[in-house]
Amino acid sequence: MSEVVQVGAWGLLAGSALLLGAAIGFGVRVSQKVIATVMAFGAGVLISAVSYELVGEAYEQAGLAPAAIGTVIGAAAYTLGNLWLARRGARHRKRSGHHTAQAQPSEAQQGGSGLALAFGALLDGVPESAVIGVSLLDGGTVSTVTVAAVFISNVPEGLSSSAGMKRAGRGTTYVFGVWGAIAATSTLAAVLGYTVVGAFSPAVIAAVTAVAAGAILAMIADTMIPEAFEDAHLAIGLVTVSGFLVSFALSHV
């Protein structure tokens, strides 16, 4: 199997977790505490992966300055994109919609919000998938920890967001069309992360990795953690730490 096909398959696998989560969120009535719990676990998994697999790797390749600057740039770029989408109805795209004030708007409530939600899902998913491709550049094999972290975190993301889409009155075709397109885009992003970024120097690769890390961290803080703590119970912090430790253990075995 060629490396391009290999990295595309890993990207598709990670992206398919969104469809799995969407199927659960759209077809099964899941309690808010369960959604909060799985979202907290997914946030912990991603925080660990970003720390050890992305920012740590960028630091080892290029030093502190490129790693730090790239991380800030990634976070700033994500935040600007998120602000633009928030004004168009995608502010609460990962919310399950239990609380009216923090629910996704319907198309009747805000025209164009459906398209904004789709772009929001794209904004959230591309950095995660791109780093899967970039990880193949270091050692000739895709980082299974990165793939596992993205897959594990994508399930609650798809679950919560799809539950919110259903509450906003969006149909099956829209929900699974969005997540199917994002899964396909995840494949392309992983391939581009390997083929395009691989043509550059190690310092540039490190900077790109850091940019993706910053975007993912900003996404966790802005969309995953608020949903996780929306219906927080006393164990939610422990669940987040558990997710962190699962990812940490995977990266050290």
Side-chain angles (χ1 to χ4, degrees):
M1 181 185 297
S2 72
E3 291 182 336
V4 172
V5 174
Q6 177 187 347
V7 78
W10 284 116
L12 179 61
L13 174 64
S16 67
L18 291 166
L19 284 169
L20 174 61
I24 298 171
F26 197 83
V28 180
R29 186 175 181 81
V30 183
S31 74
Q32 292 301 119
K33 287 190 181 296
V34 171
I35 292 175
T37 299
V38 295
M39 191 66 83
F41 186 85
V45 167
L46 271 185
I47 290 170
S48 180
V50 167
S51 301
Y52 295 100
E53 295 293 315
L54 303 183
V55 177
E57 188 65 33
Y59 170 75
E60 290 180 4
Q61 289 181 334
L64 180 59
I69 293 171
T71 302
V72 172
I73 290 173
Y78 177 89
T79 301
L80 289 174
N82 199 41
L83 286 172
W84 185 81
L85 288 167
R87 296 193 181 112
R88 287 155 178 79
R91 177 70 184 90
H92 301 298
R93 59 184 175 276
K94 281 191 173 63
R95 298 298 183 93
S96 53
H98 181 66
H99 300 299
T100 303
Q102 297 173 332
Q104 297 178 21
S106 66
E107 197 66 25
Q109 292 171 323
Q110 185 166 357
S113 59
L115 184 61
L117 286 168
F119 277 117
L122 187 66
L123 177 68
D124 297 338
V126 166
E128 296 176 341
S129 302
V131 296
I132 291 175
V134 173
S135 73
L136 183 61
L137 300 171
D138 181 35
T141 57
V142 168
S143 170
T144 54
V145 176
T146 301
V147 174
V150 174
F151 185 94
I152 292 170
S153 65
N154 275 347
V155 173
E157 287 184 47
L159 191 162
S160 180
S161 184
S162 297
M165 290 176 182
K166 183 178 181 180
R167 286 180 183 271
R170 294 189 163 86
T172 305
T173 301
Y174 172 84
V175 172
F176 288 96
V178 166
W179 295 122
I182 300 306
T185 304
S186 296
T187 306
L188 179 61
V191 170
L192 291 176
Y194 173 70
T195 56
V196 175
V197 179
F200 295 102
S201 67
V204 174
I205 293 173
V208 171
T209 302
V211 168
I216 294 170
L217 277 174
M219 181 271 291
I220 294 168
D222 194 80
T223 63
M224 293 185 72
I225 290 177
E227 172 64 15
F229 288 88
E230 185 177 66
D231 287 282
H233 47 78
L234 293 177
I236 209 75
L238 181 61
V239 172
T240 304
V241 172
S242 298
F244 180 93
L245 289 176
V246 166
S247 183
F248 177 81
L250 288 172
S251 67
H252 288 79
V253 295

PDB file of all heavy atoms in Angstrom, residues 36-50:
ATOM      1  N   ALA A  36     -22.415  15.201  28.068  1.00  0.00           N
ATOM      2  CA  ALA A  36     -21.383  15.978  28.758  1.00  0.00           C
ATOM      3  C   ALA A  36     -20.199  15.103  29.122  1.00  0.00           C
ATOM      4  O   ALA A  36     -19.038  15.515  29.000  1.00  0.00           O
ATOM      5  CB  ALA A  36     -21.966  16.630  30.010  1.00  0.00           C
ATOM      6  N   THR A  37     -20.475  13.878  29.540  1.00  0.00           N
ATOM      7  CA  THR A  37     -19.407  12.973  29.947  1.00  0.00           C
ATOM      8  C   THR A  37     -18.519  12.581  28.778  1.00  0.00           C
ATOM      9  O   THR A  37     -17.289  12.647  28.873  1.00  0.00           O
ATOM     10  CB  THR A  37     -20.007  11.707  30.595  1.00  0.00           C
ATOM     11  OG1 THR A  37     -20.754  12.086  31.763  1.00  0.00           O
ATOM     12  CG2 THR A  37     -18.903  10.735  31.001  1.00  0.00           C
ATOM     13  N   VAL A  38     -19.128  12.180  27.655  1.00  0.00           N
ATOM     14  CA  VAL A  38     -18.313  11.749  26.514  1.00  0.00           C
ATOM     15  C   VAL A  38     -17.575  12.934  25.885  1.00  0.00           C
ATOM     16  O   VAL A  38     -16.455  12.793  25.385  1.00  0.00           O
ATOM     17  CB  VAL A  38     -19.156  11.001  25.460  1.00  0.00           C
ATOM     18  CG1 VAL A  38     -19.685   9.705  26.016  1.00  0.00           C
ATOM     19  CG2 VAL A  38     -20.298  11.856  24.940  1.00  0.00           C
ATOM     20  N   MET A  39     -18.178  14.129  25.942  1.00  0.00           N
ATOM     21  CA  MET A  39     -17.496  15.307  25.408  1.00  0.00           C
ATOM     22  C   MET A  39     -16.296  15.668  26.277  1.00  0.00           C
ATOM     23  O   MET A  39     -15.227  16.031  25.767  1.00  0.00           O
ATOM     24  CB  MET A  39     -18.457  16.492  25.318  1.00  0.00           C
ATOM     25  CG  MET A  39     -17.901  17.668  24.534  1.00  0.00           C
ATOM     26  SD  MET A  39     -17.643  17.309  22.773  1.00  0.00           S
ATOM     27  CE  MET A  39     -19.286  17.592  22.122  1.00  0.00           C
ATOM     28  N   ALA A  40     -16.443  15.562  27.591  1.00  0.00           N
ATOM     29  CA  ALA A  40     -15.326  15.830  28.502  1.00  0.00           C
ATOM     30  C   ALA A  40     -14.198  14.836  28.280  1.00  0.00           C
ATOM     31  O   ALA A  40     -13.019  15.207  28.275  1.00  0.00           O
ATOM     32  CB  ALA A  40     -15.807  15.775  29.953  1.00  0.00           C
ATOM     33  N   PHE A  41     -14.546  13.573  28.095  1.00  0.00           N
ATOM     34  CA  PHE A  41     -13.531  12.550  27.831  1.00  0.00           C
ATOM     35  C   PHE A  41     -12.795  12.855  26.529  1.00  0.00           C
ATOM     36  O   PHE A  41     -11.560  12.796  26.469  1.00  0.00           O
ATOM     37  CB  PHE A  41     -14.192  11.170  27.758  1.00  0.00           C
ATOM     38  CG  PHE A  41     -13.214  10.033  27.626  1.00  0.00           C
ATOM     39  CD1 PHE A  41     -12.617   9.482  28.746  1.00  0.00           C
ATOM     40  CD2 PHE A  41     -12.884   9.519  26.376  1.00  0.00           C
ATOM     41  CE1 PHE A  41     -11.716   8.437  28.631  1.00  0.00           C
ATOM     42  CE2 PHE A  41     -11.981   8.480  26.247  1.00  0.00           C
ATOM     43  CZ  PHE A  41     -11.390   7.927  27.378  1.00  0.00           C
ATOM     44  N   GLY A  42     -13.557  13.198  25.483  1.00  0.00           N
ATOM     45  CA  GLY A  42     -12.937  13.531  24.206  1.00  0.00           C
ATOM     46  C   GLY A  42     -12.042  14.748  24.290  1.00  0.00           C
ATOM     47  O   GLY A  42     -10.975  14.798  23.674  1.00  0.00           O
ATOM     48  N   ALA A  43     -12.446  15.753  25.079  1.00  0.00           N
ATOM     49  CA  ALA A  43     -11.614  16.940  25.260  1.00  0.00           C
ATOM     50  C   ALA A  43     -10.301  16.577  25.942  1.00  0.00           C
ATOM     51  O   ALA A  43      -9.230  17.052  25.552  1.00  0.00           O
ATOM     52  CB  ALA A  43     -12.371  17.987  26.093  1.00  0.00           C
ATOM     53  N   GLY A  44     -10.366  15.713  26.953  1.00  0.00           N
ATOM     54  CA  GLY A  44      -9.145  15.284  27.637  1.00  0.00           C
ATOM     55  C   GLY A  44      -8.207  14.541  26.715  1.00  0.00           C
ATOM     56  O   GLY A  44      -6.984  14.742  26.747  1.00  0.00           O
ATOM     57  N   VAL A  45      -8.762  13.678  25.872  1.00  0.00           N
ATOM     58  CA  VAL A  45      -7.958  12.924  24.905  1.00  0.00           C
ATOM     59  C   VAL A  45      -7.222  13.871  23.959  1.00  0.00           C
ATOM     60  O   VAL A  45      -6.013  13.736  23.721  1.00  0.00           O
ATOM     61  CB  VAL A  45      -8.856  11.949  24.104  1.00  0.00           C
ATOM     62  CG1 VAL A  45      -8.109  11.401  22.895  1.00  0.00           C
ATOM     63  CG2 VAL A  45      -9.321  10.808  24.992  1.00  0.00           C
ATOM     64  N   LEU A  46      -7.943  14.851  23.423  1.00  0.00           N
ATOM     65  CA  LEU A  46      -7.329  15.778  22.469  1.00  0.00           C
ATOM     66  C   LEU A  46      -6.294  16.673  23.132  1.00  0.00           C
ATOM     67  O   LEU A  46      -5.250  16.965  22.533  1.00  0.00           O
ATOM     68  CB  LEU A  46      -8.402  16.645  21.805  1.00  0.00           C
ATOM     69  CG  LEU A  46      -9.047  16.106  20.537  1.00  0.00           C
ATOM     70  CD1 LEU A  46     -10.001  17.142  19.961  1.00  0.00           C
ATOM     71  CD2 LEU A  46      -8.006  15.727  19.487  1.00  0.00           C
ATOM     72  N   ILE A  47      -6.555  17.136  24.341  1.00  0.00           N
ATOM     73  CA  ILE A  47      -5.581  17.989  25.038  1.00  0.00           C
ATOM     74  C   ILE A  47      -4.259  17.257  25.199  1.00  0.00           C
ATOM     75  O   ILE A  47      -3.177  17.812  24.967  1.00  0.00           O
ATOM     76  CB  ILE A  47      -6.127  18.433  26.412  1.00  0.00           C
ATOM     77  CG1 ILE A  47      -7.269  19.430  26.228  1.00  0.00           C
ATOM     78  CG2 ILE A  47      -5.021  19.074  27.247  1.00  0.00           C
ATOM     79  CD1 ILE A  47      -8.018  19.743  27.503  1.00  0.00           C
ATOM     80  N   SER A  48      -4.322  15.992  25.578  1.00  0.00           N
ATOM     81  CA  SER A  48      -3.104  15.205  25.740  1.00  0.00           C
ATOM     82  C   SER A  48      -2.389  15.008  24.415  1.00  0.00           C
ATOM     83  O   SER A  48      -1.170  15.165  24.316  1.00  0.00           O
ATOM     84  CB  SER A  48      -3.446  13.845  26.359  1.00  0.00           C
ATOM     85  OG  SER A  48      -2.281  13.063  26.521  1.00  0.00           O
ATOM     86  N   ALA A  49      -3.154  14.677  23.370  1.00  0.00           N
ATOM     87  CA  ALA A  49      -2.550  14.452  22.056  1.00  0.00           C
ATOM     88  C   ALA A  49      -1.882  15.718  21.532  1.00  0.00           C
ATOM     89  O   ALA A  49      -0.787  15.671  20.957  1.00  0.00           O
ATOM     90  CB  ALA A  49      -3.604  13.961  21.067  1.00  0.00           C
ATOM     91  N   VAL A  50      -2.544  16.848  21.727  1.00  0.00           N
ATOM     92  CA  VAL A  50      -1.966  18.121  21.280  1.00  0.00           C
ATOM     93  C   VAL A  50      -0.672  18.405  22.031  1.00  0.00           C
ATOM     94  O   VAL A  50       0.337  18.825  21.439  1.00  0.00           O
ATOM     95  CB  VAL A  50      -2.974  19.271  21.474  1.00  0.00           C
ATOM     96  CG1 VAL A  50      -2.284  20.627  21.322  1.00  0.00           C
ATOM     97  CG2 VAL A  50      -4.115  19.161  20.473  1.00  0.00           C
TER      98      VAL A  50
END
